[in-house]
Every structure is written in C-alpha cells, then in structure tokens.
Amino acid sequence: MGRMDSENLKIAIYIGHGASYSWIWFVKTFDSLDFNEVYFLDESDIKNGELSNYDCLVLPGGDPFLIADGLLEEGLDKIRQFVKNGGTYIGVCAGTYLSIIFNDDPMPWLNFAEVPINNFSERPPEAIRMKYKYIVPYKDGFVFHPVRGSLEVGNKDMSFKAPLYGGPSMMAPAENRLLDYVDFDDKTLYLVEEDTAKKTMVGNAAGIRVPVGRGCLYLFGPHFEHPSYPRANMFLYDIMSKIKPFAIGPAKKGDIVLLHGDDLGEWLGIIKRELSSARVLSSGLVNLRWKIGEKIWEDEKIIYFLNETWKTIRTLQRYDLLPIEDPKGLETNARLIHSLLAEIRVLSKGGQDTSKEAEMLIEATKKLSKGLFDTYFNLKRNNWWSNGKIS
Amino acid sequence: MDYMYTEYYLVVDLATGEAEEVELEEKFVKEYVGGAKLNLALYEKYKDEDPIVFGSGLFTSTMVPGSCLGVLTAKSPVTGKIAHAPITWNAGAELKFTGYSFVVVKNKAEKPTYLWLHDEIADFVDATALWGKDTWQTTDAIREEQGEDRIQLLVIGKAGENKLTSAQVINNYWGDGDRFGFGAIFGEKNLKAIAMRGMGELDVDDAEGFLEKVEEVFKDVVSQVGSAKGFDAAAYANIPAAVKAAAAKQTHRVEADFNSPLAYKVYLKYREDPSVMAMSDIWNPGVLVSDPIGFAAIGNAVNPEAAGEVLEAVFRLGLNPVAIASKIKAKDAKGAIADLEKLAESSEAEKFDAVYSPISPESERTEAAYIAGICPVLAAKAEALNAETLAELASISTGIDFDADAFKM
C-alpha cells in the first residue's frame, strides 16, 4: 500500500440515523481486504468530535434526509471541519448526495461542492417498474433512478462491473473524474425506457475525487464495496491506499467486558437463541415493505442484516474469551429484535401498518450487529488469540 | 464432520430438560454413513435411556435427487424390535438445516412438551395446552407460536397421546412412514412434537465434482422415472379402481418430496371446487394423500368418495391407516370419522396384524436409500440411485472412501 498499510488505516463507518443496511457490505469487504482498524460511529459520536481520531469517514447508502436530520448542523459541520483539516470522506449513494450541491436551492446538507447530476428533474421520465422506489422528492424536483443493479463503469485504463442502487449520475469536470458510467449489462434492471436510461447515465461520472481544504472527498454512485463485485472492491482498495493519515488520537473505546467460561457460553446462548428466533420470524414475513423517511425497506433487507449478524456470532463462538462492549445492552437488543419481529408478524397479518416497529427493528439490529462487529475487529486488531485460543 | 453433515448431533434428555451437542466424528460417519444405519448405532449407544432417534442421511437436504429422507429409529411397540420409519416430504431436510443432523430423544418429560429445534438451539416448550389437540391444530398452533409457516413438525394426535400401538407420528398434517407405533413412543415420552426450522448450510468437499456427478445422476433418474405422476406413480399401493375414480374427481394437484422429480403425492379437495387453483380463505380444503398404501386401506373400508375425508381424520388423530382401516364400521364419512374418534381412545385399535412400511425396504436400492437419505419410492423406480453410484457421490462429497457395501445395513 502507498502511504498507509491496510492494518493501520483507521476507518470510521457511519451507521447512525438514516444509514441503510449496505454498511454491512463495507464491513465484509474491508475485512476481506485485511483492514483491521474498522470502527462504527453514529450521529452522537460525530457531534462529540470523535472524527478527528480517524483517517477517513465512510458515509454509506441510506436516506440523506434522515442522515442530515440525525447529524443536525452540529454534526454536519464536524464532518466539514474533518475534511477541511485533512480527513478523507468516502460517500456512496446517500453519502454522495449528502455531500454535493446539485440544485439552485440545496438542502442544508454538507454541500461541499457543486456537482450537477443528470438524474434530477422537475419532470422525471415515467417509470416502467418499481415505481415505489423510483423517485425521491427533492425541493422543487425529483431525484430519479433510471436503473438498478449491475452496470459497467470505467475510464481509459480499466472497466468493471458494479451495482447501482440509487446513486447519482454526476456531471463533473474531467479533472475530478475517476470512473464514468460506460454501459449497462444483461443484469441491469431498467426502471425507465432503456434509451432514456442511457441518456441519463452513460458518459457521466460514477466516481469522482474532489479536494476540499487539506482533505478530499471520494464520491461514488455505485456500491464498489459490494462483496459480490471483487473487481470493484479492488478499485476501492486502490482508493483506500491513497488516503493520507489524519487521525490525531486513539479511536473511541467503550467499557469493554471480558467474557469467558460459563458467562460467555450463557451470553452467546442468549444472543443465538434470540437471533435464531428472529431469523425464523423474518423468513416467515411475506413481501413486507416499509417507507422510512424517503427510503424503502423490504423485509429481505432485514433478513440479510440478521443473516450477516448470525455469521458473525458463529465466528465469535469459536473463541473462548471475548472482549465485548455492553454485553447486557446487546442482549436487550437481541430480545428486542425478536419481540419486534413477532409484533410485526402479528400486526401485518391483521393488515396494520408496521413502519414504526420496522424503524425500531432496524435501529436495534444495527446496534446488535455493530456490537458484534466491534468485538470481531477488536479481536482481529489486537491479535490476542491464535487458533481461537488464548495465546 | 466437515462435509455433508453438521458438526454436531443432539442428545436430548426429556427428563432433565437438558440438550447436549455431541461432535459427529468423521470415523463414525465412515463406519455408519447415515440414515437408518447411523441411527441404529446411536440407538445402541443410548439404548439404556429409552431413545428414539430422528436422523438424516448423508445426502438429505442436498442436490442429490430425492434427498428428502429422514428416518425415525426406535424399538417398535408393535413388533418389540428395532424399526426404521421413513419420513419424507421436508422434515428430514429441515432437521439438517437446524444444525443437527441427528437428534436422540431420551427418557420421558414430566409434562407435555414439544422440542423446538432452530439454528443450533434446542428449546423445550411446554405443550400442556396442546395436549388433546389434533395434529392439524397442533401444527398450526406451533407455527403460529414460533412465527413461521414453514416450520416442519413430527407430531402426534390423540392416538399417540393415548399410547396406542396404532398411533402414527404425523409429518405436519400428513401421515407418513410410521407403521411401527412410534406415535405411542412420543406419547409415552410426553412428547407432543418435534418442531424444526433452520437456515444452516452444508459444506461439500469437492463441490464442482459433486455438482457434475449430481447433474449426471439427475438426468438418469428423470429418464428412468418417466412421466408417471400421481397415483400412476404410486402403483405399488394397489389403490382400488373405484377409489382412484372417486379421487380423480377431487384431485387438485400432485406434489413431490423435497428435491424429487417424482410427484406421487396427490392433493384432494373436497371442501371447495378442486379445479380452483387460487388460494381461498379455506385453510386446508382437503387432504394430501401422502401415504398411498394407507389411502388404499381406507378406500377399501369406506365409500370411495369418502376416502379422502376419512384419511384426513386418520391423520388428524395420528392413527396408522393400515392398522385401523379394518375396524372402521361405517361406510360414510361422518360415521367413519366417529368410529375413528373412538378408535383413537380405545385399546381395540391396538389389535392389528398388518405391519409393514409404506415403503418397504425390500430391495438393495431402497435399503441404500434409507442410509443415504433418498426417498425410497424414488429409489425403487430409479436404477441410477444404486449403492455404487451413491458410494461414488459419497466419496466425492466427503473426501472419505466409500464403497457400495457402506450402503448396506
């Protein structure tokens, strides 16, 4: 790696209010690329000034309206200062929209730089499918999503496939461009007529680099972090290798409890039981969909979340000692996830709206998975164990 | 065991409410392979604690055609000998998905209990409120309680609760391969049901080689099975012509077991027009003829057009249709169902002669199927599912050298 190796780069992933489940993709991909210093921040951490202890901040997919609502001007300004002072900001999809100005009358978001987008219009083209997640109202117009799924991106040196789930088609100057939308492929899902989609997307920027003060922004439309796209992951790795060190202090640490022996077995048993019950319940949900903020959540996203959390538990249970922050809190969250899913099942069977419960469920699932990933990366970083045993 | 099975099997003590995970060692699999053969070894290991074993075969829940089979093994209250009952449909596969390829259930619970296996978790759930309910009510209640309609159950009705040797363990709502009175063992143990749901995954040693061989076998199996379906695919059951003719008017669809190309199960509708394919508000508008031999026995005992409805009552009460068919006096559905309700509480039902499996392991192929976890009905029709081929598949998928003799009891 260039200036920093993957073991030392301190990465903060925003998982607070408004972040969708796609941050899990970053976790999996960073893990597979051997990044060890991976941490998770929410809006409170950012407002409390934690950012200066990291080299880069990842703003993943989600709902930029909700993210901004959570961060408030206080948190948004902390991010602005972080970048101006030399930090690196990596935005994907919502994280990109949040950081750019693409309207004469922009929302009071990060607004680092003017980057017009070609998928904003007062009169968007008519959708041919998935109308429920085709457009998002923004001021006097709409951000619309012409395609979803796999497409081809590239520049004069390379091209590869990456998935797009609502990211922008950016009309950026050549000096900022890293990758353009090159073409669609046989897995691209058209939400508008193909010609219209091409006119909206192809030739515009899919990834840009924007210097801001002493730091910089890397802004992406597609999800280069998606674990099923290894070539896109390598592009991301290359970007990460260019990040300049910035962190000035130790990463945030909570009160860690070391669990082992019967205590650990009992704790893991509780988490597994609740999570397993939650997985059973979630697999029994039938085509549920919630609108939370401006984002549409399908039940399959909950299932994905829970399955990835389950895999983490299975990894952790190989160890005979675990450093865990707030194990009781994680237990409570696991129970809450189970009970909320049971409630959603009953309410949805009766035809009732379950958006409120779903919102709580997403937050609880985030907290549980964050706690388990924290433990996992703590183990990985400190290398306290070898072969699953205390060394 | 690294491949094809889960890491552990489960030993459940109903008396203490404790469940122990025991490592499923490779040498154990090498010696006993799986299904009925490995079940028997587990039975012997725990025989002093009155066990009943539910186990999967090496290929259960995999891509091998017909890989649906689970096997119940215990000492039959009917014969006094060890017996193996084939459990088809989805229960065997679901067992493996729970993270336990085998479960040994020992001793007796103090009060009615059901065992809830899910993702490497074994819960003992109070079933007092379910005791006295029929198998359909119990299946619905447990699925509702645990929140999933795809939970697979082995469940007993009144006959099992009354410990009758004519009792049968029912597979969700439908009768299956228990002709050995295992329903009575469940009743004796105060075990109302074993409920299973899991999202486990299996590893394969040579995944590409396995897939290649499976594709080859699948093509052979499909060509050997031919196009017969429904009762035509279950000719072994000798269903009387008049019963078949009556059933034809009620036939809604045919169904196959987990990952099987042989659709020999017939769903009859008698509570709504069988030609209606859309889901209606009627929950379970008919019966799945999951046991063609049992259906033939009932069809011989009552009016042909009543056979489906009477079979439903047999399944609800958790009775063995072959054992009780000759004791049904009435010919009409209402009268026959009233007879059955009495039989489910009467020792009269315990006296019967006919004891045979609906899928008799007469041939080498069906014997191998009981060990491999393959539907014996399919194996009986498909020469490609012979012991030599299964041994080859077993070697590819596990990295252990198996020969055809491994698939013999």
Side-chain angles (χ1 to χ4, degrees):
Chain A
M1 237 170 143
R3 295 184 60 89
M4 300 191 70
D5 59 35
S6 60
E7 284 182 9
N8 295 326
L9 184 71
K10 287 167 77 179
I11 303 167
I13 302 177
Y14 176 78
I15 63 159
H17 192 59
S20 82
Y21 74 111
S22 64
W23 62 271
I24 302 263
W25 296 342
F26 271 108
V27 176
K28 288 169 67 86
T29 297
F30 283 153
D31 181 34
S32 70
L33 295 174
D34 269 341
F35 290 97
N36 295 339
E37 300 274 348
V38 177
Y39 302 85
F40 307 98
L41 300 188
D42 62 18
E43 58 274 20
S44 301
D45 298 321
I46 290 175
K47 286 177 207 163
N48 290 338
E50 281 293 329
L51 272 182
S52 57
N53 300 321
Y54 302 90
D55 298 308
C56 82
L57 170 66
V58 173
L59 242 300
D63 178 349
F65 294 89
L66 288 185
I67 295 173
D69 284 352
L71 287 166
L72 300 173
E73 179 53 25
E74 186 189 355
L76 292 167
D77 198 51
K78 285 283 191 327
I79 296 176
R80 290 187 201 107
Q81 294 308 315
F82 166 72
V83 179
K84 279 176 189 163
N85 291 337
T88 299
Y89 176 101
I90 295 178
V92 176
C93 199
T96 296
Y97 287 114
L98 189 76
S99 63
I100 58 176
I101 299 168
F102 55 88
N103 184 282
D104 292 340
D105 178 23
M107 297 291 293
W109 294 349
L110 287 168
N111 299 342
F112 277 116
E114 282 191 27
V115 182
I117 62 173
N118 207 23
N119 58 315
F120 175 78
S121 170
E122 289 177 19
R123 286 187 298 279
E126 194 174 338
I128 57 172
R129 60 168 62 86
M130 296 180 83
K131 289 183 182 171
Y132 63 93
K133 60 195 314 175
Y134 168 59
I135 53 170
V136 176
Y138 182 99
K139 291 283 181 152
D140 53 351
F142 300 90
V143 172
F144 63 97
H145 310 308
V147 295
R148 290 178 67 80
S150 176
L151 43 68
E152 195 176 332
V153 297
N155 56 30
K156 63 182 174 53
D157 300 320
M158 64 176 120
S159 73
F160 55 86
K161 292 182 191 304
L164 185 76
Y165 300 113
S169 172
M170 297 178 281
M171 297 183 290
E175 66 266 26
N176 295 120
R177 291 191 180 212
L178 299 169
L179 292 166
D180 288 348
Y181 293 104
V182 173
D183 204 351
F184 301 133
D185 65 26
D186 55 0
K187 288 184 181 164
T188 306
L189 185 69
Y190 296 97
L191 274 56
V192 297
E193 296 296 342
E194 187 174 343
D195 280 354
T196 308
K198 279 199 169 163
K199 280 178 197 158
T200 310
M201 305 296 293
V202 173
N204 289 323
I208 61 174
R209 179 183 184 280
V210 183
V212 174
R214 289 199 291 274
C216 82
L217 318 171
Y218 288 99
L219 305 178
F220 308 136
H223 289 266
F224 298 127
E225 79 281 11
H226 194 296
S228 300
Y229 293 80
R231 183 64 192 81
N233 297 164
M234 289 318 295
F235 169 78
L236 181 65
Y237 184 86
D238 191 47
I239 294 292
M240 304 300 285
S241 72
K242 295 183 171 79
I243 291 175
K244 293 178 189 171
F246 174 74
I248 55 174
K252 186 195 170 205
K253 265 188 191 167
D255 293 332
I256 301 290
V257 178
L258 288 175
L259 284 184
H260 57 91
D262 290 346
D263 290 343
L264 177 60
E266 191 183 335
W267 184 82
L268 281 170
I270 291 168
I271 299 285
K272 277 184 74 176
R273 173 169 280 105
E274 299 298 331
L275 204 48
S276 166
S277 299
R279 290 211 311 160
V280 169
L281 282 162
S282 66
S283 73
L285 299 178
V286 184
N287 298 327
L288 285 185
R289 195 185 288 160
W290 304 281
K291 188 172 185 208
I292 296 169
E294 292 299 331
K295 183 103 184 152
I296 303 294
W297 283 74
E298 294 92 349
D299 50 26
E300 66 202 42
K301 288 178 181 168
I302 302 290
I303 294 169
Y304 179 83
F305 230 134
L306 294 175
N307 286 347
E308 291 306 319
T309 311
W310 179 258
K311 284 180 194 167
T312 312
I313 272 284
R314 285 183 57 85
T315 302
L316 294 179
Q317 72 180 11
R318 295 191 195 124
Y319 296 88
D320 51 15
L321 180 70
L322 290 180
I324 305 166
E325 188 181 329
D326 190 16
K328 283 285 170 202
L330 296 183
E331 251 183 69
T332 305
N333 265 299
R335 289 198 172 95
L336 181 62
I337 290 166
H338 179 185
S339 66
L340 282 168
L341 275 160
E343 207 173 330
I344 285 171
R345 181 174 186 272
V346 171
L347 291 173
S348 60
K349 269 190 160 184
Q352 295 184 57
D353 177 45
T354 53
S355 301
K356 202 178 90 189
E357 289 76 15
E359 197 171 348
M360 290 165 69
L361 173 67
I362 290 162
E363 286 306 309
T365 310
K366 256 189 220 174
K367 282 179 186 163
L368 178 63
S369 43
K370 173 207 178 288
L372 298 177
F373 284 134
D374 267 339
T375 299
Y376 172 75
F377 281 105
N378 196 343
L379 289 170
K380 204 177 167 194
R381 268 193 304 276
N382 292 300
N383 198 21
W384 291 351
W385 291 268
S386 60
N387 300 321
K389 302 291 176 193
I390 301 171
S391 58
Chain B
M1 184 67 188
D2 293 335
Y3 303 113
M4 302 302 277
Y5 281 126
T6 55
E7 198 173 350
Y8 300 101
Y9 67 88
L10 189 71
V11 180
V12 168
D13 190 335
L14 290 172
T16 61
E18 287 172 358
E20 182 192 4
E21 290 180 337
V22 183
E23 189 182 344
L24 184 58
E25 293 179 353
E26 185 176 306
K27 62 181 180 186
F28 200 54
V29 173
K30 193 172 181 180
E31 189 168 358
Y32 299 109
V33 189
K37 194 170 178 179
L38 202 146
N39 272 12
L40 184 59
L42 289 173
Y43 179 87
E44 291 296 331
K45 186 173 176 184
Y46 297 97
K47 67 181 176 187
D48 295 338
E49 293 167 286
D50 189 24
I52 184 165
V53 182
F54 183 45
S56 55
L58 186 70
F59 301 124
T60 306
S61 79
T62 68
M63 299 172 77
V64 175
S67 57
C68 69
L69 200 71
V71 180
L72 269 174
T73 299
K75 185 190 273 189
S76 166
V78 178
T79 65
K81 295 175 184 171
I82 308 300
H84 306 286
I87 302 295
T88 60
W89 203 238
N90 296 304
E94 200 68 48
L95 173 71
K96 229 184 222 183
F97 296 147
T98 68
Y100 303 115
S101 299
F102 301 84
V103 55
V104 181
V105 182
K106 305 187 301 184
N107 300 320
K108 175 182 178 176
E110 204 170 283
K111 60 182 179 184
T113 299
Y114 77 83
L115 189 60
W116 169 218
L117 307 178
H118 54 114
D119 284 338
E120 301 173 350
I121 302 286
D123 285 329
F124 298 78
V125 186
D126 186 349
T128 307
L130 299 174
W131 208 252
K133 290 194 185 299
D134 72 32
T135 58
W136 289 27
Q137 291 166 331
T138 305
T139 295
D140 287 346
I142 291 175
R143 286 178 170 178
E144 184 60 31
E145 182 171 13
Q146 301 303 341
E148 232 290 41
D149 292 339
R150 286 170 291 187
I151 289 170
Q152 299 299 309
L153 294 107
L154 301 183
V155 57
I156 59 166
K158 275 187 191 166
E161 291 175 9
N162 290 329
K163 308 175 189 64
L164 303 182
T165 50
S166 57
Q168 184 182 60
V169 172
I170 298 294
N171 186 345
N172 298 335
Y173 308 102
W174 321 122
D176 209 330
D178 171 21
R179 294 277 194 263
F180 307 103
F182 290 162
I185 296 180
F186 272 47
E188 183 62 44
K189 289 178 173 298
N190 266 331
L191 181 64
K192 182 66 178 173
I194 300 175
M196 298 160 281
R197 177 77 177 136
M199 274 149 272
E201 294 168 359
L202 298 175
D203 288 326
V204 180
D205 183 28
D206 175 5
E208 284 184 20
F210 182 65
L211 185 59
E212 202 174 303
K213 184 68 186 171
V214 164
E215 280 182 357
E216 180 190 317
V217 173
F218 200 89
K219 280 180 192 160
D220 291 344
V221 167
V222 168
S223 71
Q224 288 161 6
V225 165
S227 58
K229 56 187 177 182
F231 294 136
D232 292 340
Y236 64 91
N238 294 319
I239 299 170
V243 178
K244 271 206 260 188
K249 292 177 189 164
Q250 299 175 333
T251 297
H252 176 256
R253 64 180 186 272
V254 293
E255 295 214 8
D257 293 316
F258 175 88
N259 196 30
S260 172
L262 184 66
Y264 69 97
K265 295 180 172 175
V266 180
Y267 191 85
L268 305 181
K269 271 189 180 179
Y270 36 79
R271 294 201 179 93
E272 67 180 14
D273 181 352
S275 67
V276 173
M277 298 310 287
M279 292 282 282
S280 70
D281 290 337
I282 301 172
W283 183 245
N284 278 325
V287 72
L288 183 73
V289 181
S290 50
D291 169 6
I293 291 176
F295 184 59
I298 296 296
N300 277 320
V302 302
N303 295 333
E305 61 276 12
E309 205 171 341
V310 176
L311 187 69
E312 174 189 329
V314 169
F315 291 166
R316 279 177 177 266
L317 293 162
L319 284 161
N320 169 358
V322 172
I324 50 81
S326 63
K327 297 181 176 64
I328 301 172
K329 291 173 186 153
K331 296 291 178 189
D332 65 300
K334 195 175 171 189
I337 291 167
D339 288 346
L340 288 168
E341 279 168 358
K342 284 179 198 155
L343 286 167
E345 294 178 353
S346 157
S347 59
E348 189 195 341
E350 297 197 76
K351 299 171 195 132
F352 61 93
D353 301 322
V355 176
Y356 50 85
S357 165
I359 306 148
S360 180
E362 304 167 327
S363 72
E364 281 186 12
R365 277 215 306 280
T366 46
E367 184 178 338
Y370 270 61
I371 296 167
I374 306 291
C375 171
V377 179
L378 181 69
K381 287 177 179 290
E383 289 166 24
L385 294 169
N386 58 59
E388 287 75 18
T389 302
L390 295 177
E392 191 183 346
L393 279 165
S395 300
I396 295 169
S397 57
T398 63
I400 300 169
D401 278 336
F402 286 104
D403 59 21
D405 285 344
F407 289 86
K408 291 177 182 163
M409 293 294 284

